Amino acid sequence: MIVCDIGNTNIKFKQKNNIFILSYDEPMPKFDEKIYYISVNKRGEDILNKHFKNTQNLSHKITFHTKYNSIGIDRAVCCKYIKDGIVVDAGSAVTVDMMKNHSHIGGFILPGLKMYKNIYNNISTNLSKEINFDISLETLPLNTADAVSYGAMMATISPILTIANNQDIFVTGGDGKIVSKYIKNSFYSKDLILNNLEKIAKRFVC
Amino acid sequence: MIVCDIGNTNIKFKQKNNIFILSYDEPMPKFDEKIYYISVNKRGEDILNKHFKNTQNLSHKITFHTKYNSIGIDRAVCCKYIKDGIVVDAGSAVTVDMMKNHSHIGGFILPGLKMYKNIYNNISTNLSKEINFDISLETLPLNTADAVSYGAMMATISPILTIANNQDIFVTGGDGKIVSKYIKNSFYSKDLILNNLEKIAKRFVC
């Protein structure tokens, strides 16, 4: 059994303990098994189905309790097995969702960390600096490079901590490791979506 | 006496109680008096000096205590008369500075509120929504349009409140009214920089 998560920039596969992350332009791996997938990107889904004959979209098999209107299927899968707490998926966007007693209460969307260099550059060339993802948030910056790095990290971390208000915080996504480093006692899981997807697929198949 | 603040998108003048805000492309008003100015933009400064013969750059006359390396002169003028508290200038960027006992302790820079529509659009067309600057931060969003508006406001307000930690918060800038609306008991001053600049110019001239 292979599971696959099609995002806006990458297609991710999990086969047993192996994870494959490919951009849309890279050649697909060779798989003989059936691929159970979710997708938030039509182009990616088309690429998958062009390369593999034995695929199944799991989206409509997934139950998820929320009043959120058209939540991304990746967010639903990410949150599915969390009883209580905040779920953060830090990718090209950072989604922040709240679960209470196995129900999804709502959530919001922040710009992804890797976007900030471009964001500041578009405002002014004076602010065109590399973002330092190790910047300390303990002391206030004393130069522009630190001021934009501090701004990018605070714009991401502060909203999460504010709504978490001491609830558990679960973090995943390409930049999840960076985010979790700034949130003491957060629970970082590298491949939360693929792991959950595998759990869902196994239950569905059995 | 006329004072002038040259920013990255606008040139602002104050003549007695009248404020004039012009983009670089608009024709300059007619002034006979001397113009005391500060500038963070060379192009704007050239435009000013092309149109008016009687001008003086006040930058080097302004004393401001900080260890910040090359702080923008507009930020220095904005903070100059604040003894203690957080100073927020919400424009194309949002600068956030801390003053303690008349000294500048440091500060950071966030994206401007009006940038967010573009920021989200660049991440995914799914996130391309108008930002609602009246969104309530009390309840978590239940759809994408609210989720990005909430994200934009939280990315701006949470870092400010986090570092303020109950200190006074002084707000100015083109989007200052929006920001101050989200921060109870903040002190909003529409033309803080021009008012301070006038105060500085008067002392300098006397």
Side-chain angles (χ1 to χ4, degrees):
Chain A
M1 169 189 290
I2 292 166
V3 290
C4 170
D5 169 26
I6 303 171
N8 280 313
T9 42
N10 290 311
I11 303 182
K12 283 156 268 179
F13 297 92
K14 185 177 187 208
Q15 184 186 37
K16 287 183 182 159
N17 291 322
N18 298 316
I19 306 279
F20 307 83
I21 301 177
L22 299 114
S23 76
Y24 286 178
D25 303 323
E26 287 179 273
M28 290 287 120
K30 288 207 191 309
F31 292 131
D32 294 325
E33 297 161 86
K34 183 164 180 178
I35 298 171
Y36 295 90
Y37 73 90
I38 56 168
S39 172
V40 295
N41 189 291
K42 182 74 175 65
R43 189 184 149 217
E45 192 173 353
D46 288 346
I47 291 173
L48 184 87
N49 283 311
K50 205 179 125 192
H51 279 81
F52 303 103
K53 293 299 156 219
N54 197 7
T55 67
Q56 180 164 357
N57 189 334
L58 273 187
S59 302
H60 303 292
K61 308 292 180 186
I62 295 167
T63 54
F64 186 63
H65 301 293
T66 183
K67 287 180 180 156
Y68 198 103
N69 186 20
S70 340
I71 195 161
I73 189 68
D74 49 353
R75 281 167 82 182
V77 169
C78 198
C79 293
K80 190 170 166 59
Y81 296 107
I82 306 286
K83 186 184 172 205
D84 292 293
I86 306 300
V87 186
V88 179
D89 185 2
S92 42
V94 176
T95 55
V96 184
D97 289 286
M98 187 185 286
M99 296 294 291
K100 274 209 194 300
N101 202 20
H102 291 299
S103 278
H104 177 255
I105 299 303
F108 60 94
I109 305 172
L110 298 164
L113 284 175
K114 299 277 165 61
M115 300 291 148
Y116 276 92
K117 190 186 169 188
N118 232 349
I119 293 170
Y120 286 117
N121 182 48
N122 284 343
I123 297 172
S124 162
T125 50
N126 292 337
L127 304 184
S128 182
K129 309 283 179 190
E130 291 298 325
I131 305 296
N132 172 9
F133 298 119
D134 278 321
I135 186 104
S136 163
L137 301 183
E138 301 299 316
T139 52
L140 279 173
L142 290 172
N143 62 65
T144 305
D146 287 353
V148 297
S149 294
Y150 188 102
M153 288 315 309
M154 282 291 275
T156 310
I157 304 302
S158 283
I160 297 169
L161 291 176
T162 301
I163 71 141
N165 196 17
N166 292 324
Q167 292 173 79
D168 286 342
I169 301 174
F170 304 88
V171 184
T172 189
D175 296 330
K177 204 163 186 178
I178 299 171
V179 169
S180 68
K181 203 179 57 186
Y182 282 91
I183 304 179
K184 270 183 212 162
N185 306 322
S186 60
F187 300 91
Y188 169 62
S189 169
K190 193 165 172 283
D191 302 304
L192 185 56
I193 293 179
L194 286 171
N195 294 344
N196 285 354
L197 204 53
E198 194 177 49
K199 218 188 272 188
I200 292 163
K202 277 181 183 163
R203 286 187 184 185
F204 169 65
V205 172
C206 292
Chain B
M1 169 191 291
I2 292 165
V3 290
C4 170
D5 169 26
I6 302 171
N8 280 314
T9 44
N10 289 312
I11 303 182
K12 283 157 270 181
F13 297 93
K14 185 179 186 204
Q15 184 186 39
K16 288 183 183 161
N17 291 323
N18 298 317
I19 306 281
F20 307 82
I21 301 176
L22 299 114
S23 75
Y24 286 178
D25 302 322
E26 288 179 274
M28 290 285 124
K30 290 206 187 311
F31 292 131
D32 294 327
E33 299 161 84
K34 184 164 180 177
I35 298 170
Y36 296 90
Y37 74 92
I38 56 168
S39 173
V40 294
N41 187 291
K42 182 73 175 67
R43 185 180 152 223
E45 191 173 354
D46 289 345
I47 291 173
L48 184 89
N49 284 311
K50 205 179 125 192
H51 279 83
F52 303 102
K53 293 298 154 220
N54 198 6
T55 66
Q56 181 165 357
N57 189 334
L58 273 186
S59 302
H60 304 291
K61 307 291 178 185
I62 294 167
T63 53
F64 185 64
H65 301 292
T66 184
K67 286 180 180 156
Y68 197 104
N69 186 21
S70 334
I71 196 161
I73 189 67
D74 48 352
R75 280 168 81 181
V77 170
C78 197
C79 293
K80 190 170 166 62
Y81 295 107
I82 306 287
K83 185 183 172 206
D84 291 293
I86 305 300
V87 187
V88 178
D89 185 2
S92 42
V94 176
T95 55
V96 184
D97 289 286
M98 188 185 285
M99 296 294 292
K100 274 207 193 302
N101 202 19
H102 292 298
S103 277
H104 177 253
I105 299 302
F108 61 93
I109 304 173
L110 298 164
L113 284 176
K114 300 277 164 62
M115 299 291 148
Y116 276 91
K117 191 188 167 185
N118 233 349
I119 293 169
Y120 286 117
N121 182 47
N122 284 344
I123 297 171
S124 161
T125 51
N126 293 336
L127 304 184
S128 180
K129 309 283 179 190
E130 291 298 324
I131 305 297
N132 172 10
F133 298 119
D134 278 321
I135 186 105
S136 163
L137 301 184
E138 300 300 316
T139 51
L140 279 173
L142 290 172
N143 60 66
T144 305
D146 288 352
V148 297
S149 294
Y150 188 102
M153 288 315 309
M154 282 291 276
T156 310
I157 304 302
S158 282
I160 297 169
L161 292 175
T162 301
I163 72 140
N165 197 15
N166 292 324
Q167 293 175 78
D168 286 341
I169 301 173
F170 303 89
V171 184
T172 190
D175 296 329
K177 205 164 185 177
I178 299 171
V179 169
S180 67
K181 203 178 56 183
Y182 282 91
I183 304 178
K184 272 183 209 160
N185 306 321
S186 60
F187 299 92
Y188 170 62
S189 170
K190 191 165 174 283
D191 302 303
L192 185 59
I193 293 179
L194 286 171
N195 294 345
N196 285 355
L197 204 52
E198 193 178 51
K199 218 188 272 189
I200 292 163
K202 277 180 182 163
R203 285 186 185 186
F204 169 65
V205 173
C206 291

